[in-house]
């Protein structure tokens, strides 16, 4: 998702690098290119217009720090405007004062409602709730069955009409399910509803009927992020037809251009609550506008990384690391050692590394990393002299042999570490480069 947009934006920022200040013409040209990039990503025109308007206004104004260079200023503004478009702060689910909390799912057929029902139920259950799934999609012959499968996987009860009981009325089923939830102490009721392939008055009337019968605390509109420009019309129809209180983006794992994701918040005026990123029940998370914006800018999940790092790094180390990351300073083996120690406090090393920009693709290699390996790395670096740690270039053959002896490993291990370190150093440079600093190179994906 968003790959093309990320590439385009990255190219636009590169052009700004090296400029001393932003002229009016620079701002216009940049705004024009960003406008095109957003339109090509299928972002809805009104959303693009508003985005560009704010971007220009802010780039001309003095709202950005004078301490930043022009490329950094534009990245900062685009980042903040992306966060704005995606909804600002993450919003939590609304819970009822008196249980059960009722969550109704609405959306077109194939949007991912039934899958989401299972994901949400699993997620809520893991947080200590006792959800009940309700099969109020009686349109598709297989829908009830599908929800039952999903419910079983999530380990959650499914309320469905008894086959052959003559109960074919989804509104009645939804209504009864609330009674059932009360009797059986279920604190959350998730109602799956029927969709159609397109907007359809009958479907909308049914959704309204279910809504009125269950009086939901949340009406979640599920939208397939792979649909392009149609997303806007669909979102508007559900907003006006049923009224929605939140949005879930599904299929964010796809390789579509992502315009729906960027438009739906502004079009509906309702927050994106969750993101679905695959067919499995675990492929699901709370939606964080700031993280998504960073991802679009190709900064990887640096924010998640920093958030987790905060728990482990003391503030001194943290400042140093941030300065290195943002300042494009030389990253030494000494830093490497320090970070390794701090990172190891945070849990499985492969998880941490996979969140760093450019590392996502290296999952298989990362899986091989184990803690023994890192013991060895630490031993190798500790066998180096301080000068060797800051200037690894001087580590020639005889020094390598000495270090290998000192740390009880082979020369090959030392070579391997130095190669790895060189790559890490390059990556740090690229991350500095993402912030528009000198020596910038396009980040590899
Ligand atoms: P519904 O008609 O709205 O209930 O949609 P379903 O839940 O049946 O989903 C339609 C199809 O999309 C199914 O094949 C799901 O497995 C698939 N699907 C749902 N969510 C995701 C997702 O986040 N990523 C991917 N790749 N597929 C999904």
């Amino acid at each position: 998702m968003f790959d093309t947009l990320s590439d385009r934006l990255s190219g636009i920022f590169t052009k700004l690098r090296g400029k001393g200040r932003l002229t009016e013409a620079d701002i216009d040209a940049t705004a024009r290119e960003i406008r095109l990039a957003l339109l090509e990503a299928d972002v809805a025109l009104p959303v693009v217009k508003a985005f560009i308007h704010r971007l220009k206004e802010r780039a001309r104004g003095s709202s950005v720090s004078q301490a930043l260079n022009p490329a950094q200023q534009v990245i900062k503004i685009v980042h903040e405007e992306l966060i704005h478009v995606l909804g600002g702060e993450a919003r939590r689910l609304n819970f009822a004062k008196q249980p059960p909390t009722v969550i109704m799912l609405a959306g077109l057929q194939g949007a991912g409602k039934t899958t989401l029902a299972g994901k949400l139920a699993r997620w809520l259950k893991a947080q200590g709730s006792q959800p009940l799934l309700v099969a109020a999609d009686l349109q598709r012959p297989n829908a009830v069955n599908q929800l039952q499968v999903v419910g079983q996987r999530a380990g959650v009860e499914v309320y469905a009409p008894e086959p052959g009981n003559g109960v074919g009325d989804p509104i009645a089923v939804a209504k009864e399910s609330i009674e059932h939830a009360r009797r059986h102490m279920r604190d959350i009721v998730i109602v799956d509803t029927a969709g159609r392939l397109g907007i359809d008055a009958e479907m909308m009337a049914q959704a309204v009927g279910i809504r009125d019968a269950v009086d939901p605390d949340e009406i979640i509109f599920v939208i397939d992020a792979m649909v392009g420009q149609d997303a806007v019309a669909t979102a508007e129809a559900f907003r006006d037809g049923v009224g929605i209180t939140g949005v879930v983006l599904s299929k964010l794992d796809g390789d579509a251009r992502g315009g729906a994701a960027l438009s739906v918040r502004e079009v509906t005026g309702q927050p994106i609550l969750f993101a679905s990123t695959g067919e499995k029940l675990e492929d699901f998370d709370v939606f964080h506008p700031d993280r998504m914006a960073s991802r679009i800018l190709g900064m990887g999940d640096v924010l998640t990384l920093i958030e987790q790092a905060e728990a482990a790094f003391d503030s001194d180390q943290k400042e140093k690391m941030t300065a290195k990351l943002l300042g494009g300073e030389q990253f030494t083996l000494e830093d490497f050692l320090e970070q390794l120690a701090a990172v190891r406090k945070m849990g499985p090393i492969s998880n941490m590394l996979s969140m760093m920009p450019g590392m996502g693709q290296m999952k298989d290699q990362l899986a091989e990393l184990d803690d023994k390996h890192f013991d060895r790395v630490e031993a190798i670096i500790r066998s180096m002299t301080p000068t060797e740690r800051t200037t690894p270039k001087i580590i020639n053959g005889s020094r390598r042999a000495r270090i290998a002896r000192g740390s009880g490993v082979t020369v090959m291990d030392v070579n391997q570490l130095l190669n790895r370190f060189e790559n890490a150093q390059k990556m740090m440079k690229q991350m500095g480069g993402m912030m528009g600093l000198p020596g910038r190179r396009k980040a590899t994906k």
Side-chain angles (χ1 to χ4, degrees):
M1 207 79 184
F2 300 120
D3 284 355
T4 321
L5 180 60
S6 296
D7 285 349
R8 289 284 301 264
L9 290 175
S10 162
I12 295 168
F13 300 147
T14 308
K15 282 193 205 158
L16 291 173
R17 196 164 44 83
K19 285 202 190 289
R21 62 186 193 91
L22 282 184
T23 63
E24 193 67 27
D26 289 334
I27 295 174
D28 282 345
T30 305
R32 213 167 25 245
E33 287 185 53
I34 293 177
R35 183 177 191 275
L36 263 180
L38 291 171
L39 286 173
E40 274 175 27
D42 269 344
V43 183
L45 185 60
V47 177
V48 175
K49 278 189 173 158
F51 189 101
I52 296 301
H53 179 74
R54 287 191 300 264
L55 172 83
K56 276 183 164 175
E57 211 151 71
R58 292 190 55 191
R60 287 196 193 109
S62 54
S63 62
V64 277
S65 160
Q66 295 303 313
L68 302 178
N69 68 32
Q72 288 170 323
Q73 290 183 12
V74 174
I75 293 174
K76 182 175 149 72
I77 298 173
V78 171
H79 185 224
E80 286 171 3
E81 288 304 328
L82 281 174
I83 294 175
H84 174 81
V85 157
L86 290 167
E89 300 269 307
R91 159 149 103 66
R92 292 160 54 92
L93 275 176
N94 283 324
F95 290 99
K97 286 197 190 76
Q98 278 289 348
T101 293
V102 180
I103 301 171
M104 171 176 163
L105 308 182
L108 293 183
Q109 188 175 317
K113 291 181 296 301
T114 306
T115 312
L116 174 73
K119 290 176 173 182
L120 204 51
R122 177 183 176 274
W123 186 80
L124 288 164
K125 190 180 169 204
Q127 299 185 11
S129 286
Q130 294 269 3
L132 175 71
L133 284 170
V134 180
D137 175 358
L138 307 182
Q139 212 76 37
R140 264 191 310 143
N142 198 33
V144 174
N145 195 6
Q146 193 193 341
L147 192 71
Q148 273 159 341
V149 170
V150 156
Q152 201 169 30
R153 273 196 214 136
V156 167
E157 187 194 355
V158 176
Y159 186 84
E162 304 265 343
N165 212 12
V167 206
D169 177 7
I171 298 175
V173 170
K175 201 171 182 132
E176 290 154 16
S177 75
I178 306 293
E179 277 314 308
H180 181 92
R182 285 210 180 93
R183 277 198 306 277
H184 294 84
M185 310 294 274
R186 305 287 179 218
D187 55 355
I188 299 186
V189 181
I190 301 169
V191 185
D192 187 19
T193 66
R196 297 281 204 289
L197 289 172
I199 298 298
D200 160 316
E202 198 188 328
M203 164 187 72
M204 215 52 98
Q206 186 179 87
V208 168
I210 293 174
R211 178 196 71 194
D212 294 345
V214 301
D215 188 19
D217 300 284
E218 292 274 14
I219 304 174
I220 294 181
F221 169 58
V222 186
I223 184 149
D224 177 344
M226 310 266 276
V227 302
Q229 289 288 347
D230 284 352
V232 170
T234 309
E236 281 172 344
F238 275 91
R239 177 197 63 194
D240 299 341
V242 207
I244 59 182
T245 62
V247 178
V248 171
L249 291 169
S250 70
K251 310 191 195 176
L252 273 177
D253 50 316
D255 55 6
R257 289 172 283 188
L262 283 166
S263 310
V264 73
R265 155 77 224 211
E266 294 237 317
V267 168
T268 61
Q270 296 302 330
I272 303 169
L273 301 175
F274 299 97
S276 249
T277 50
E279 298 196 47
K280 292 200 299 293
L281 294 190
E282 308 87 76
D283 301 329
F284 170 78
D285 208 349
V286 171
F287 184 77
H288 293 284
D290 50 347
R291 292 184 200 165
M292 182 60 85
S294 303
R295 203 170 294 165
I296 293 171
L297 288 186
M299 292 179 188
D301 223 338
V302 176
L303 291 174
T304 308
L305 188 69
I306 289 175
E307 205 175 78
Q308 293 194 359
E310 269 171 351
F313 282 74
D314 63 42
S315 61
D316 245 20
Q317 272 177 321
K318 204 164 63 195
E319 258 172 43
K320 249 166 74 185
M321 169 159 157
T322 315
K324 294 249 173 197
L325 276 175
L326 302 184
E329 229 180 282
Q330 183 75 336
F331 175 69
T332 69
L333 276 161
E334 196 69 59
D335 301 320
F336 194 54
L337 192 62
E338 240 176 60
Q339 287 191 8
L340 201 58
V343 163
R344 290 184 74 178
K345 282 196 244 160
M346 290 184 236
I349 204 101
S350 51
N351 283 0
M352 289 303 303
L353 289 176
S354 66
M355 273 188 277
M356 294 183 75
M359 298 294 265
Q361 307 296 320
M362 294 174 55
K363 283 214 177 71
D364 292 347
Q365 282 132 289
L366 292 175
E368 289 168 20
L369 301 179
D370 61 33
D371 286 314
K372 262 201 215 106
H373 172 84
F374 284 98
D375 288 342
R376 210 161 54 218
V377 169
E378 278 193 36
I380 296 174
I381 300 178
R382 289 193 197 287
S383 297
M384 294 176 185
T385 66
T387 323
E388 286 168 347
R389 292 183 200 181
T390 47
T391 324
K393 270 207 303 284
I394 64 167
I395 309 180
N396 58 15
S398 64
R399 284 175 189 259
R400 282 173 201 231
R402 192 206 77 235
I403 294 166
R405 266 200 315 279
S407 51
V409 302
T410 65
V411 173
M412 219 163 73
D413 290 328
V414 178
N415 291 342
Q416 208 175 36
L417 167 68
L418 289 171
N419 287 341
R420 280 232 172 104
F421 171 69
E422 208 178 308
N423 288 336
Q425 215 175 19
K426 271 190 210 142
M427 197 178 81
M428 293 313 241
K429 269 212 193 104
Q430 284 171 1
M431 282 165 75
M434 296 305 295
M435 307 305 288
L437 286 145
R440 184 188 188 287
R441 272 193 30 215
K442 193 174 176 303
T444 45
K445 284 261 182 67

